[in-house]
Amino acid sequence: LYTKDVSFEIPNAPQIFQEAGQADVKMSLGQRVEDLSDDVKEIVLTVTVTATIDEKTAYLAEVAQAGIFLLTGFNEQTSHAVVNTLCPNTLFPYARTAISNLVADGGFPPLTLQPVNFEQLYAQRMQQLAAEQNQQNGASDGEETVNAEFPAND
C-alpha cells in the first residue's frame, strides 16, 4: 500500500479564513485498475474532498491511495467483485487519514470522513448496468434507447 499522489489547495486564502458560516463538504471517489501481470493489479482509489463556504472554495483535498494486489484462485466474476469492493475497502482508511491530516494541517477544523460501503456501491452499479442492458435488449426497431453514463469503477 502506498500514497501515489496528494494535492491540497486553498484557492481563496487568506480571505476564506475570514468567511463566516458552515462549510459544505462534498466527497467523490474514483478508482483505476492497472494489470501489472496475470494475477497482479495496481488499484488506485482517488478520494477528492471539496469544501465551500458561500459558493467560494475553502479547500480542495485529493489523495490517490494505491495498492498492489495479488488476486489468484478467483473466477472472473468474483475477481471483478474483489477489485471493486475488497481492494477499495482496504485502501480507503489510509486515504481518509491522509485527507484528515491535510485539512487539519491546512488550518481548517478537523474533518472525519465517514466509512464507505463499497459492497453497496458495487451492488448498485451492477443493478444499473443490468437495467441498462435489459433496456437495450428490450428496445425494438421503432424505439429509441437512451444510454445514461455512470462513472466507471474499474
Side-chain angles (χ1 to χ4, degrees):
L1 302 177
Y2 55 97
T3 303
K4 190 158 185 149
D5 191 20
V6 175
S7 174
F8 185 76
E9 301 172 26
I10 309 173
N12 292 301
Q15 295 81 6
I16 199 68
F17 292 108
Q18 297 173 339
E19 292 286 329
Q22 184 72 21
D24 180 29
V25 179
K26 292 187 174 30
M27 179 182 73
S28 64
L29 299 169
Q31 181 173 305
R32 186 175 49 79
V33 178
E34 182 178 338
D35 290 327
L36 300 178
S37 66
D38 288 340
D39 295 330
V40 180
K41 296 179 185 305
E42 179 194 47
I43 313 291
V44 180
L45 177 68
T46 302
V47 180
T48 305
V49 175
T50 306
T52 56
I53 300 173
D54 294 331
E55 298 183 22
K56 293 180 187 172
T57 301
Y59 62 83
L60 184 131
E62 184 171 80
V63 171
Q65 185 68 41
I68 298 173
F69 294 87
L70 173 64
L71 304 172
T72 59
F74 298 111
N75 63 32
E76 188 176 332
Q77 182 179 4
T78 304
S79 179
H80 189 262
V82 167
V83 164
N84 288 284
T85 59
L86 182 63
C87 295
N89 206 32
T90 301
L91 297 170
F92 185 74
Y94 296 95
R96 180 172 64 182
T97 299
I99 293 279
S100 296
N101 290 339
L102 287 170
V103 170
D105 291 347
F108 292 94
L111 173 69
T112 303
L113 298 176
Q114 296 302 313
V116 174
N117 186 337
F118 289 99
E119 291 82 8
Q120 182 180 12
L121 291 175
Y122 180 70
Q124 288 171 347
R125 181 163 179 258
M126 292 297 99
Q127 288 174 345
Q128 289 170 340
L129 292 173
E132 286 178 17
Q133 190 172 32
N134 287 340
Q135 184 181 11
Q136 288 175 352
N137 291 341
S140 64
D141 288 340
E143 297 178 41
E144 183 177 322
T145 302
V146 178
N147 292 322
E149 291 187 19
F150 296 97
N153 285 341
D154 53 0

